[in-house]
Amino acid sequence: QKEVEQNSGPLSVPEGAIASLNCTYSDRGSQSFFWYRQYSGKSPELIMFIYSNGDKEDGRFTAQLNKASQYVSLLIRDSQPSDSATYLCAVKSPGDKLIFGTGTRLQVFP
Amino acid sequence: EADIYQTPRYLVIGTGKKITLECSQTMGHDKMYWYQQDPGMELHLIHYSYGVNSTEKGDLSSESTVSRIRTEHFPLTLESARPSHTSQYLCASSPGDEAFFGQGTRLTVV
């Protein structure tokens, strides 16, 4: 079992819709969770982090964490074509390793 | 956000050569990471460091080595490059939990 799992996609949504990206992790001791955006040919860029159960909102982005289910999600409201990218879920293990999922490719079409 | 620099950006080198990929950050971050990423694929953690004189191997079996003699510098060395080492190498630094990436080095071994 991979430590961090994501559906590779592509996830296709129309402009203006809500995009929902999901991630599960295997280590129950993990405490810190991150979402990165990576455009093709570029480095990952941090967009959200969450430490506590529940929701955390930042502009059009909402991160959701459920530690009991070992589940993290990212919602993107009012999706724009410029949001088209690969979204990487990352988890900080108790040993301080930062482990990434395979990423979900999001396509927002006009 | 961190200022983190990787050099060179692109490198084409012959099989058997020794190479060092440079990574420097100016923010005084204790934690630094090296990842390997093939195009369209996931990031694999190959080495990380908690601070000066601390280095750990990641999850990807690698023929590379790292050193951390100064806080700001975390070079990655391949003693004998092989075509299988052709990939993108990404360096990141972290003040605590969240990590920030450099622009990457795209390595091609011919």
Side-chain angles (χ1 to χ4, degrees):
Chain A
Q1 182 189 6
K2 286 194 170 186
E3 293 182 72
V4 182
E5 299 213 44
Q6 295 180 255
N7 187 320
S8 61
L11 173 65
S12 293
V13 301
E15 185 174 356
I18 296 174
S20 178
L21 304 156
N22 304 314
C23 170
T24 58
Y25 60 95
S26 61
D27 190 335
R28 282 197 170 274
S30 300
Q31 294 295 322
S32 308
F33 308 88
F34 307 89
W35 284 100
Y36 285 79
R37 177 175 60 201
Q38 187 175 27
Y39 292 111
S40 181
K42 301 294 186 182
S43 298
E45 171 193 9
L46 179 68
I47 52 174
M48 290 284 292
F49 59 88
I50 187 166
Y51 303 139
S52 305
N53 278 329
D55 294 0
K56 179 181 178 182
E57 188 174 316
D58 183 2
R60 295 187 296 114
F61 299 100
T62 299
Q64 299 174 317
L65 174 61
N66 183 326
K67 289 186 180 180
S69 301
Q70 295 173 246
Y71 178 90
V72 193
S73 65
L74 179 70
L75 301 177
I76 307 175
R77 288 181 298 282
D78 188 23
S79 296
Q80 301 297 310
S82 58
D83 294 326
S84 298
T86 297
Y87 288 80
L88 303 169
C89 173
V91 176
K92 180 74 72 80
S93 73
D96 248 355
K97 293 192 296 184
L98 185 61
I99 304 297
F100 284 79
T102 55
T104 299
R105 190 158 61 94
L106 173 66
Q107 295 176 335
V108 182
F109 56 92
Chain B
E1 218 173 283
D3 290 328
I4 181 164
Y5 307 100
Q6 290 187 244
T7 57
R9 289 291 310 279
Y10 303 93
L11 179 62
V12 180
I13 200 161
T15 297
K17 299 291 186 183
K18 177 180 178 179
I19 54 174
T20 296
L21 307 183
E22 301 288 347
C23 177
S24 296
Q25 49 97 2
T26 60
M27 301 301 288
H29 293 169
D30 283 328
K31 296 174 190 172
M32 296 188 74
Y33 304 86
W34 274 105
Y35 292 88
Q36 183 177 341
Q37 185 181 35
D38 293 324
M41 304 298 284
E42 64 191 288
L43 280 81
H44 292 284
L45 180 64
I46 47 177
H47 294 283
Y48 59 108
S49 169
Y50 298 118
V52 172
N53 294 326
S54 148
T55 61
E56 301 286 343
K57 285 188 179 292
D59 297 322
L60 180 65
S61 175
S62 170
E63 291 135 356
S64 59
T65 58
V66 291
S67 62
R68 191 88 186 274
I69 297 171
R70 291 181 287 140
T71 297
E72 61 271 22
H73 195 214
F74 191 41
L76 177 80
T77 297
L78 285 168
E79 290 294 332
S80 179
R82 295 213 299 264
S84 59
H85 294 137
T86 295
S87 190
Q88 169 100 327
Y89 291 84
L90 291 162
C91 181
S93 74
S94 173
D97 283 327
E98 66 272 28
F100 302 97
F101 284 84
Q103 294 299 303
T105 294
R106 185 165 298 281
L107 173 66
T108 302
V109 183
V110 298

mmCIF file of all heavy atoms in Angstrom, chain A residues 8-26:
data_model
loop_
_atom_site.group_PDB
_atom_site.id
_atom_site.type_symbol
_atom_site.label_atom_id
_atom_site.label_comp_id
_atom_site.label_asym_id
_atom_site.label_seq_id
_atom_site.Cartn_x
_atom_site.Cartn_y
_atom_site.Cartn_z
ATOM 1 N N SER A 8 -5.237 9.436 -10.162
ATOM 2 C CA SER A 8 -4.394 10.202 -11.092
ATOM 3 C C SER A 8 -5.190 11.067 -12.066
ATOM 4 O O SER A 8 -4.646 12.000 -12.664
ATOM 5 C CB SER A 8 -3.474 9.257 -11.865
ATOM 6 O OG SER A 8 -4.238 8.347 -12.626
ATOM 7 N N GLY A 9 -6.495 10.763 -12.210
ATOM 8 C CA GLY A 9 -7.326 11.559 -13.111
ATOM 9 C C GLY A 9 -7.095 11.169 -14.559
ATOM 10 O O GLY A 9 -6.680 10.049 -14.840
ATOM 11 N N PRO A 10 -7.400 12.084 -15.518
ATOM 12 C CA PRO A 10 -7.722 13.483 -15.264
ATOM 13 C C PRO A 10 -9.145 13.683 -14.743
ATOM 14 O O PRO A 10 -10.041 12.931 -15.069
ATOM 15 C CB PRO A 10 -7.540 14.133 -16.634
ATOM 16 C CG PRO A 10 -7.810 13.040 -17.615
ATOM 17 C CD PRO A 10 -7.345 11.767 -16.956
ATOM 18 N N LEU A 11 -9.274 14.725 -13.914
ATOM 19 C CA LEU A 11 -10.568 15.184 -13.453
ATOM 20 C C LEU A 11 -10.929 16.401 -14.307
ATOM 21 O O LEU A 11 -10.204 17.383 -14.306
ATOM 22 C CB LEU A 11 -10.483 15.584 -11.973
ATOM 23 C CG LEU A 11 -11.708 16.255 -11.365
ATOM 24 C CD1 LEU A 11 -12.883 15.285 -11.351
ATOM 25 C CD2 LEU A 11 -11.407 16.753 -9.956
ATOM 26 N N SER A 12 -12.003 16.285 -15.043
ATOM 27 C CA SER A 12 -12.423 17.364 -15.938
ATOM 28 C C SER A 12 -13.657 18.045 -15.379
ATOM 29 O O SER A 12 -14.652 17.366 -15.091
ATOM 30 C CB SER A 12 -12.719 16.817 -17.339
ATOM 31 O OG SER A 12 -11.540 16.355 -17.951
ATOM 32 N N VAL A 13 -13.595 19.355 -15.208
ATOM 33 C CA VAL A 13 -14.735 20.121 -14.707
ATOM 34 C C VAL A 13 -14.926 21.347 -15.581
ATOM 35 O O VAL A 13 -13.957 21.894 -16.134
ATOM 36 C CB VAL A 13 -14.560 20.543 -13.233
ATOM 37 C CG1 VAL A 13 -14.388 19.324 -12.334
ATOM 38 C CG2 VAL A 13 -13.409 21.508 -13.061
ATOM 39 N N PRO A 14 -16.163 21.818 -15.713
ATOM 40 C CA PRO A 14 -16.396 23.044 -16.493
ATOM 41 C C PRO A 14 -16.004 24.265 -15.681
ATOM 42 O O PRO A 14 -16.019 24.250 -14.442
ATOM 43 C CB PRO A 14 -17.893 22.999 -16.770
ATOM 44 C CG PRO A 14 -18.473 22.206 -15.646
ATOM 45 C CD PRO A 14 -17.425 21.203 -15.266
ATOM 46 N N GLU A 15 -15.663 25.315 -16.372
ATOM 47 C CA GLU A 15 -15.339 26.591 -15.735
ATOM 48 C C GLU A 15 -16.494 27.018 -14.839
ATOM 49 O O GLU A 15 -17.678 26.923 -15.209
ATOM 50 C CB GLU A 15 -15.082 27.653 -16.807
ATOM 51 C CG GLU A 15 -14.624 28.976 -16.278
ATOM 52 C CD GLU A 15 -14.242 29.946 -17.398
ATOM 53 O OE1 GLU A 15 -14.265 29.530 -18.578
ATOM 54 O OE2 GLU A 15 -13.913 31.103 -17.079
ATOM 55 N N GLY A 16 -16.137 27.461 -13.622
ATOM 56 C CA GLY A 16 -17.149 27.908 -12.675
ATOM 57 C C GLY A 16 -17.641 26.824 -11.720
ATOM 58 O O GLY A 16 -18.287 27.135 -10.715
ATOM 59 N N ALA A 17 -17.311 25.580 -12.001
ATOM 60 C CA ALA A 17 -17.764 24.476 -11.157
ATOM 61 C C ALA A 17 -16.820 24.292 -9.960
ATOM 62 O O ALA A 17 -15.756 24.925 -9.869
ATOM 63 C CB ALA A 17 -17.832 23.187 -11.975
ATOM 64 N N ILE A 18 -17.231 23.413 -9.049
ATOM 65 C CA ILE A 18 -16.383 23.041 -7.917
ATOM 66 C C ILE A 18 -15.596 21.788 -8.285
ATOM 67 O O ILE A 18 -16.178 20.787 -8.708
ATOM 68 C CB ILE A 18 -17.215 22.775 -6.656
ATOM 69 C CG1 ILE A 18 -17.926 24.044 -6.198
ATOM 70 C CG2 ILE A 18 -16.319 22.234 -5.520
ATOM 71 C CD1 ILE A 18 -18.881 23.830 -5.028
ATOM 72 N N ALA A 19 -14.283 21.860 -8.122
ATOM 73 C CA ALA A 19 -13.435 20.678 -8.334
ATOM 74 C C ALA A 19 -13.123 20.079 -6.970
ATOM 75 O O ALA A 19 -12.760 20.796 -6.035
ATOM 76 C CB ALA A 19 -12.156 21.059 -9.052
ATOM 77 N N SER A 20 -13.274 18.771 -6.852
ATOM 78 C CA SER A 20 -13.032 18.073 -5.593
ATOM 79 C C SER A 20 -11.928 17.049 -5.779
ATOM 80 O O SER A 20 -12.035 16.131 -6.601
ATOM 81 C CB SER A 20 -14.319 17.377 -5.127
ATOM 82 O OG SER A 20 -14.083 16.652 -3.936
ATOM 83 N N LEU A 21 -10.851 17.218 -5.039
ATOM 84 C CA LEU A 21 -9.671 16.358 -5.156
ATOM 85 C C LEU A 21 -9.476 15.618 -3.831
ATOM 86 O O LEU A 21 -9.579 16.226 -2.766
ATOM 87 C CB LEU A 21 -8.440 17.200 -5.472
ATOM 88 C CG LEU A 21 -8.586 18.055 -6.734
ATOM 89 C CD1 LEU A 21 -7.653 19.249 -6.686
ATOM 90 C CD2 LEU A 21 -8.303 17.234 -7.962
ATOM 91 N N ASN A 22 -9.187 14.342 -3.914
ATOM 92 C CA ASN A 22 -9.138 13.507 -2.723
ATOM 93 C C ASN A 22 -7.795 12.818 -2.539
ATOM 94 O O ASN A 22 -7.085 12.550 -3.518
ATOM 95 C CB ASN A 22 -10.230 12.451 -2.794
ATOM 96 C CG ASN A 22 -11.593 13.068 -2.983
ATOM 97 O OD1 ASN A 22 -11.944 14.016 -2.310
ATOM 98 N ND2 ASN A 22 -12.362 12.544 -3.934
ATOM 99 N N CYS A 23 -7.506 12.490 -1.282
ATOM 100 C CA CYS A 23 -6.220 11.888 -0.943
ATOM 101 C C CYS A 23 -6.415 11.043 0.319
ATOM 102 O O CYS A 23 -7.107 11.471 1.251
ATOM 103 C CB CYS A 23 -5.218 13.017 -0.691
ATOM 104 S SG CYS A 23 -3.635 12.539 0.008
ATOM 105 N N THR A 24 -5.835 9.861 0.344
ATOM 106 C CA THR A 24 -5.815 9.057 1.575
ATOM 107 C C THR A 24 -4.366 8.762 1.940
ATOM 108 O O THR A 24 -3.483 8.754 1.075
ATOM 109 C CB THR A 24 -6.580 7.739 1.412
ATOM 110 O OG1 THR A 24 -6.004 6.990 0.326
ATOM 111 C CG2 THR A 24 -8.049 7.979 1.121
ATOM 112 N N TYR A 25 -4.124 8.536 3.238
ATOM 113 C CA TYR A 25 -2.769 8.273 3.702
ATOM 114 C C TYR A 25 -2.793 7.087 4.661
ATOM 115 O O TYR A 25 -3.826 6.779 5.269
ATOM 116 C CB TYR A 25 -2.167 9.508 4.368
ATOM 117 C CG TYR A 25 -2.918 10.018 5.563
ATOM 118 C CD1 TYR A 25 -2.562 9.645 6.855
ATOM 119 C CD2 TYR A 25 -3.991 10.886 5.403
ATOM 120 C CE1 TYR A 25 -3.261 10.107 7.957
ATOM 121 C CE2 TYR A 25 -4.698 11.351 6.494
ATOM 122 C CZ TYR A 25 -4.328 10.962 7.759
ATOM 123 O OH TYR A 25 -5.028 11.417 8.857
ATOM 124 N N SER A 26 -1.661 6.429 4.793
ATOM 125 C CA SER A 26 -1.639 5.170 5.541
ATOM 126 C C SER A 26 -1.128 5.298 6.976
ATOM 127 O O SER A 26 -1.506 4.491 7.835
ATOM 128 C CB SER A 26 -0.783 4.139 4.794
ATOM 129 O OG SER A 26 0.551 4.599 4.672
#
